[in-house]
Amino acid sequence: MAADSRPQGPGRGGDVLSAPERAHRVVIVGGGFGGLHAARGLRGADVEITLIDRRNFHLFQPLSYQVATGALSPGEVAYPLRAVFKRNRNVRVLLAEIAGFDLRRREVVLRSVGDLPTPEPVPYDTLIVAAGSHYSYFGHDEWRAHAAEVKSLESALTVRSRILAAFEAAELERDPHRRAEWLTFAVVGAGPTGVEMAGQIAELARDSLRGDFRTADPGSGRILLIEAGDRVLTGFPPSLSAKAERSLRRLGVTPVLASTVVDVDGTGVTLQDADDATRRIPARTVVWAAGVTASGLAGQLAELTGAEKDRAGRVTVEADLTLPGHPEVFALGDMVRVRGRDGTAITFPGVAPVAIQQGRYVAKAARARLRGGAAPPFRYHDKGNLATIGRAAAVADIKGIKLSGFLAWTTWLLVHLFYLVGFQNRLLVLIRWSISFATRGRGARLITRSADADAGRPAAHLND
Amino acid sequence: MAADSRPQGPGRGGDVLSAPERAHRVVIVGGGFGGLHAARGLRGADVEITLIDRRNFHLFQPLSYQVATGALSPGEVAYPLRAVFKRNRNVRVLLAEIAGFDLRRREVVLRSVGDLPTPEPVPYDTLIVAAGSHYSYFGHDEWRAHAAEVKSLESALTVRSRILAAFEAAELERDPHRRAEWLTFAVVGAGPTGVEMAGQIAELARDSLRGDFRTADPGSGRILLIEAGDRVLTGFPPSLSAKAERSLRRLGVTPVLASTVVDVDGTGVTLQDADDATRRIPARTVVWAAGVTASGLAGQLAELTGAEKDRAGRVTVEADLTLPGHPEVFALGDMVRVRGRDGTAITFPGVAPVAIQQGRYVAKAARARLRGGAAPPFRYHDKGNLATIGRAAAVADIKGIKLSGFLAWTTWLLVHLFYLVGFQNRLLVLIRWSISFATRGRGARLITRSADADAGRPAAHLND
């Protein structure tokens, strides 16, 4: 590919150097909410889209915590990216990891996933980067091994296996102290994900597993929700935080507020309170839901363009979500901050609606450019804030209207079903939820281990 | 526990040495079809049942191949053992591996699963061993790494990831020869599982994935079904084998008959035909469905009791499924052969109905013993043989009546739905199948890797 055959600007048709027959090439990095909606917004346009992800599916991340507690199966919250764009011949999906960006040559350099072939660099006219974020563990990567998170599908399955195995361990444990440790669950971070996880573990212990065990009593389990702030759901108005806290306590969750985690190992967490006093809480299962840091690709883009980078690794993009000096490169979602009118960088909440709206906006902006126009700055339409706590309990803050209880829960349910990708998934999730609601059961309570771990075992085991 | 406080025979009440208040203790090893139905058959009896498995779920193994091809989700073919016996207070489930049997002390010695506590030995009055079988790889355990099987849930997920990743690799591969290798799938063994797998891969390639790729053409894939015998489905009458072969060919499967696999590596298989000529077939994906060997526990029981053991590792049990000289120890399913009237050992087919009927029989026999009676020898009621080949195609041999096509397929469908454990699973599977039938799609096409593999990765990747 000769570099000089490429257009010098993101426009099309007007470019003297571009071959007149070649469509404008859009490369989208990431098949999460941002990338998916950017691609959807562009699929009818006269562009060639390449969507790159290292997984072959879009994960409906707001429900991955339900996989972690056995309420839903992986296939119900994840949908193959190829299936989404099956009928859009101008969308190509590539399974690869990003090695880096060559902004001068306008190429994305790729790395292979597993033993798949390494793809060639992919040239672009417009680049859209939506690579998301991951949990930061406050800089202590060594905690990750002991405190799984529920962000990726794989880690949600790890959390599921650990939670269920803890109850099994309690059933087998003869020492009452050690049994209590197995029945103690610490969720770190009382944002929506932490609150949802704690609520679900409580329901699992008190409802779904009731009667399942003969020695251990799952209902005697302690579920701690550890939060550095002085209330749960700090993103919500204090009155809703109070309501959420009451709902959590009713479910059997103990919020541990104004406490920072200073150590995590395989058998417990160490907390530091406001007086700098530390205390250790024995807990065999720790779930991490605190503090995210942007994808490393945000840092790469910041370095390449001289854009600002904040402490959480987010790169600051212009008001139209492009990188400074690179109108052909968009970045969006929870890996960016957005330059506001007054020049300050705005941090939007790291939730799906922001990524969805930004993805749609970028598609529109790219379309406008293709017609030679420009898009007005991105504006976030905050439709409200939702968090579910458990069976028929939730809080919602919708444009200042505060809802709680059953009404908020119904809203949560409908919104999540509406946004779930794929008709089949919606139907299956609706059925699972209906059955769970009626029976208080959860069908997907499987402890799965990697097949590799099994492969090396001797033949004398059960169900080989 | 004092050994002399235990009864000397499997009876109850009449035992002078047993404490009169203690219930008869039944220990069941294995939560597959045999163990599950033995436990179900005993749950109303005046016994204390301990069901031991190293997994916390019952797997509906006849459908695990559908997980391997993305048609069903794991949670739809597996059901928690504890949920099955929730309401049966006399059934206790233990998650553990079997270290061995102490037939003299009447104890099962356990080993821990993962980092769970190691349980104490479990004493029994009646022991029921239903530990199943696994694929033998013709004694070449090193092939296992390259040729995954679909017997366990974990290995079915490995097969799913490999098959889907092969299509992704073909999309990325630029060399046409290597692309053809990625699009070649070799299924070894043309029994029901192999036939079903080959048919499903063909449907996946030709129907479900059609239009999903832009460079590779999944429809051009080769699916080889390798069989040492001279026809597919050797357990069926030749006329049905011929029909199945025609259906397979129509789907795009190429049966390779009278060929023995003599080598498997990461890039292909080497076959030997009847003339001892060998040839190598490049195929990046190999699925193993040939030759099972009994659980190592069968060999242990044979050694401990002096019972016969055959080449496939199966122990020969008496006509009432007990071990010779040990009327208190039953063994059943595809880890045993059964002593017939004429003294020869009968090998029943390694299918679910045999295990189910033997499980029910053992429960009845144990109940009869408790009442001081005896059970007549086990008799297998062969209700027929079913194998499905693909969408609306199957063969059935029901008491000599031969069915094929849509009618056989409907029969197959109803029988499998009927035996599927759990109302929720039945409903979800029915819906999945209905949608798949209508749309030719498969929703659960996820390539999942172990979370451990992800945890160590740098932060620069997508969707961390």
Side-chain angles (χ1 to χ4, degrees):
Chain A
M1 267 164 278
D4 56 4
S5 75
R6 258 169 250 136
Q8 298 305 305
R12 201 200 158 214
D15 289 312
V16 183
L17 292 172
S18 66
E21 294 307 316
R22 185 170 62 63
H24 186 89
R25 296 162 304 188
V26 178
V27 172
I28 300 174
V29 171
F33 285 107
L36 189 80
H37 284 272
R40 279 185 157 187
L42 282 165
R43 55 188 167 178
D46 186 19
V47 293
E48 271 175 15
I49 302 166
T50 304
L51 176 61
I52 304 167
D53 200 308
R54 65 182 173 117
R55 294 207 173 74
N56 77 327
F57 53 85
H58 167 74
L59 173 66
F60 193 80
Q61 223 180 65
L63 289 180
S64 58
Y65 79 95
Q66 295 216 354
V67 172
T69 52
L72 293 176
S73 263
E76 288 153 11
V77 298
Y79 201 73
L81 284 169
R82 294 194 185 281
V84 177
F85 298 105
K86 202 182 182 77
R87 288 192 180 77
N88 306 110
R89 302 304 299 179
N90 65 330
V91 182
R92 177 171 72 132
V93 177
L94 279 191
L95 201 68
E97 304 201 353
I98 307 298
F101 303 107
D102 189 333
L103 298 188
R104 199 184 52 75
R105 294 170 62 99
R106 298 197 175 170
E107 282 183 352
V108 179
V109 184
L110 302 178
R111 197 160 39 205
S112 67
V113 168
D115 65 346
L116 265 54
T118 308
E120 279 189 355
V122 183
Y124 63 80
D125 300 308
T126 297
L127 173 64
I128 300 170
V129 184
S133 66
H134 52 91
Y135 284 106
S136 62
Y137 290 83
F138 304 160
H140 291 272
D141 261 354
E142 69 278 15
W143 296 355
R144 193 184 291 265
H146 309 297
E149 27 94 359
V150 292
K151 221 162 158 47
S152 78
L153 192 57
E154 287 87 349
S155 62
L157 290 172
T158 300
V159 170
R160 181 177 81 181
S161 287
R162 286 194 191 167
I163 291 173
L164 296 171
F167 289 106
E168 296 291 342
E171 176 81 350
L172 293 169
E173 183 59 65
R174 288 175 299 275
D175 179 81
H177 291 286
R178 281 202 296 266
R179 185 183 293 159
E181 287 179 22
W182 281 114
L183 289 177
T184 305
F185 300 85
V187 178
V188 182
T193 301
V195 165
E196 286 163 346
M197 269 309 294
Q200 288 263 316
I201 297 173
E203 288 197 335
L204 180 69
R206 283 175 223 296
D207 285 340
S208 309
L209 296 182
R210 195 205 314 232
D212 269 21
F213 294 89
R214 301 292 174 258
T215 306
D217 172 17
S220 74
R222 289 171 72 209
I223 297 105
L224 308 173
L225 180 60
I226 299 162
E227 166 61 40
D230 62 353
R231 58 188 173 96
V232 304
L233 296 176
T234 50
F236 284 73
S239 64
L240 287 181
S241 292
K243 280 198 170 135
E245 198 181 319
R246 274 200 297 279
S247 292
L248 283 165
R249 287 190 189 278
R250 246 197 317 270
L251 277 175
V253 175
T254 309
V256 181
L257 303 172
S259 295
T260 310
V261 172
V262 292
D263 195 26
V264 182
D265 58 40
T267 58
V269 293
T270 307
L271 304 182
Q272 189 168 42
D273 64 19
D275 306 329
D276 278 355
T278 61
R279 58 177 173 139
R280 190 182 149 71
I281 300 180
R284 295 297 296 245
T285 313
V286 182
V287 179
W288 198 263
V292 292
T293 192
S295 156
L297 297 182
Q300 274 198 41
L301 290 174
E303 251 175 61
L304 291 169
T305 62
E308 267 175 38
K309 201 180 101 170
D310 71 0
R311 277 179 51 202
R314 287 178 286 242
V315 60
T316 303
V317 292
E318 304 295 325
D320 63 353
L321 308 188
T322 59
L323 271 294
H326 286 272
E328 79 284 10
V329 182
F330 294 89
L332 61 134
D334 50 358
M335 61 176 274
V336 306
R337 293 190 300 167
V338 181
R339 183 75 61 200
R341 279 192 172 200
D342 57 357
T344 59
I346 307 164
T347 306
F348 291 107
V351 294
V354 172
I356 292 171
Q357 288 182 31
Q358 290 187 340
R360 287 178 182 158
Y361 168 84
V362 164
K364 265 190 208 156
R367 277 169 182 270
R369 294 271 187 77
L370 284 172
R371 291 190 304 265
F378 170 73
R379 273 194 58 197
Y380 176 49
H381 299 279
D382 188 352
K383 289 178 184 163
N385 229 341
L386 276 165
T388 176
I389 296 139
R391 193 180 147 85
V395 290
D397 175 22
I398 298 164
K399 296 179 188 287
I401 301 167
K402 297 180 189 65
L403 300 177
S404 62
F406 190 75
L407 189 60
W409 183 73
T410 315
T411 309
W412 176 90
L413 201 137
L414 291 176
V415 166
H416 282 74
L417 271 185
F418 180 78
Y419 279 102
L420 200 55
V421 173
F423 157 75
Q424 184 173 1
N425 289 26
R426 275 177 216 166
L427 194 63
L428 292 170
V429 168
L430 183 62
I431 288 164
R432 278 262 195 220
W433 282 351
S434 307
I435 296 172
S436 296
F437 191 82
T439 65
R440 294 173 183 258
R442 337 178 148 235
R445 297 204 306 275
L446 313 179
I447 303 178
T448 47
R449 298 178 295 171
S450 79
D452 303 336
D454 282 350
R457 284 158 179 272
H461 300 133
L462 301 184
N463 297 339
D464 276 332
Chain B
M1 267 165 279
D4 56 1
S5 74
R6 258 170 248 136
Q8 298 304 305
R12 202 201 158 213
D15 290 315
V16 184
L17 292 170
S18 65
E21 295 306 318
R22 184 170 66 61
H24 185 89
R25 297 162 305 187
V26 178
V27 173
I28 301 173
V29 172
F33 285 106
L36 189 82
H37 284 272
R40 282 185 154 185
L42 282 165
R43 56 188 168 181
D46 186 20
V47 294
E48 272 175 13
I49 302 165
T50 304
L51 176 61
I52 305 168
D53 200 310
R54 64 180 173 121
R55 297 211 169 73
N56 77 327
F57 52 84
H58 167 74
L59 173 66
F60 193 80
Q61 224 181 62
L63 288 181
S64 59
Y65 78 95
Q66 295 215 353
V67 172
T69 51
L72 293 176
S73 263
E76 289 153 10
V77 298
Y79 201 71
L81 285 169
R82 294 194 185 283
V84 176
F85 298 105
K86 202 184 185 78
R87 289 191 180 79
N88 306 109
R89 303 303 299 177
N90 66 330
V91 183
R92 178 171 71 128
V93 177
L94 278 192
L95 201 67
E97 304 201 354
I98 307 299
F101 303 107
D102 188 333
L103 298 188
R104 201 186 49 78
R105 294 170 61 99
R106 296 196 176 172
E107 283 183 352
V108 179
V109 185
L110 301 178
R111 198 166 31 207
S112 67
V113 168
D115 64 347
L116 265 53
T118 307
E120 279 189 351
V122 183
Y124 62 81
D125 300 308
T126 296
L127 173 64
I128 300 170
V129 184
S133 66
H134 53 89
Y135 284 106
S136 62
Y137 292 85
F138 305 160
H140 291 272
D141 262 354
E142 70 276 15
W143 296 355
R144 193 185 289 267
H146 309 298
E149 27 93 0
V150 293
K151 220 160 158 52
S152 78
L153 192 56
E154 287 86 349
S155 61
L157 290 172
T158 300
V159 170
R160 181 177 79 180
S161 287
R162 286 193 192 166
I163 291 174
L164 295 171
F167 289 107
E168 297 290 342
E171 177 81 351
L172 293 168
E173 182 59 64
R174 288 177 298 278
D175 178 83
H177 289 287
R178 281 202 296 267
R179 183 182 297 157
E181 285 180 23
W182 281 114
L183 289 177
T184 305
F185 300 85
V187 178
V188 182
T193 301
V195 164
E196 286 163 348
M197 270 307 296
Q200 288 262 316
I201 297 174
E203 288 196 335
L204 180 70
R206 281 174 225 296
D207 285 340
S208 310
L209 296 182
R210 194 205 315 231
D212 269 19
F213 294 88
R214 301 292 175 257
T215 305
D217 173 18
S220 74
R222 287 171 74 209
I223 298 105
L224 308 173
L225 179 60
I226 299 162
E227 167 61 40
D230 61 354
R231 57 189 174 98
V232 303
L233 297 176
T234 50
F236 285 73
S239 64
L240 288 181
S241 292
K243 279 196 171 135
E245 196 181 320
R246 274 200 298 277
S247 293
L248 283 166
R249 288 190 187 276
R250 246 196 318 268
L251 277 174
V253 174
T254 309
V256 181
L257 303 172
S259 296
T260 311
V261 173
V262 292
D263 195 26
V264 182
D265 59 40
T267 57
V269 292
T270 307
L271 304 182
Q272 190 169 42
D273 64 19
D275 306 329
D276 279 355
T278 62
R279 57 179 173 139
R280 190 180 150 71
I281 300 180
R284 296 298 294 247
T285 313
V286 182
V287 180
W288 197 262
V292 292
T293 192
S295 156
L297 297 182
Q300 275 197 43
L301 291 175
E303 253 175 59
L304 291 169
T305 62
E308 267 176 37
K309 202 180 99 172
D310 71 359
R311 277 178 51 201
R314 286 177 287 241
V315 61
T316 303
V317 292
E318 303 295 325
D320 62 353
L321 308 187
T322 59
L323 271 292
H326 286 271
E328 79 285 8
V329 182
F330 294 89
L332 60 133
D334 50 358
M335 62 178 273
V336 306
R337 293 190 300 167
V338 181
R339 182 76 60 201
R341 282 192 170 197
D342 56 356
T344 60
I346 307 164
T347 306
F348 291 109
V351 294
V354 172
I356 292 171
Q357 289 182 31
Q358 290 187 341
R360 288 180 182 157
Y361 169 84
V362 164
K364 265 190 208 158
R367 278 170 182 269
R369 295 270 187 80
L370 284 172
R371 290 190 305 266
F378 168 74
R379 271 194 59 196
Y380 176 49
H381 299 279
D382 188 352
K383 290 179 187 163
N385 227 343
L386 275 165
T388 175
I389 297 140
R391 192 182 148 83
V395 290
D397 174 23
I398 299 165
K399 296 180 189 286
I401 301 166
K402 298 181 189 64
L403 300 177
S404 62
F406 190 75
L407 188 61
W409 183 73
T410 314
T411 309
W412 176 90
L413 201 136
L414 292 176
V415 166
H416 282 74
L417 272 184
F418 180 78
Y419 279 101
L420 200 55
V421 173
F423 158 75
Q424 185 172 359
N425 288 23
R426 275 178 217 166
L427 195 63
L428 292 169
V429 168
L430 184 62
I431 288 163
R432 279 260 196 220
W433 283 350
S434 307
I435 296 171
S436 296
F437 190 82
T439 67
R440 296 173 181 255
R442 357 185 128 224
R445 296 206 307 273
L446 313 179
I447 303 177
T448 46
R449 297 179 295 170
S450 80
D452 303 336
D454 282 350
R457 282 157 182 276
H461 300 134
L462 302 184
N463 297 339
D464 275 332

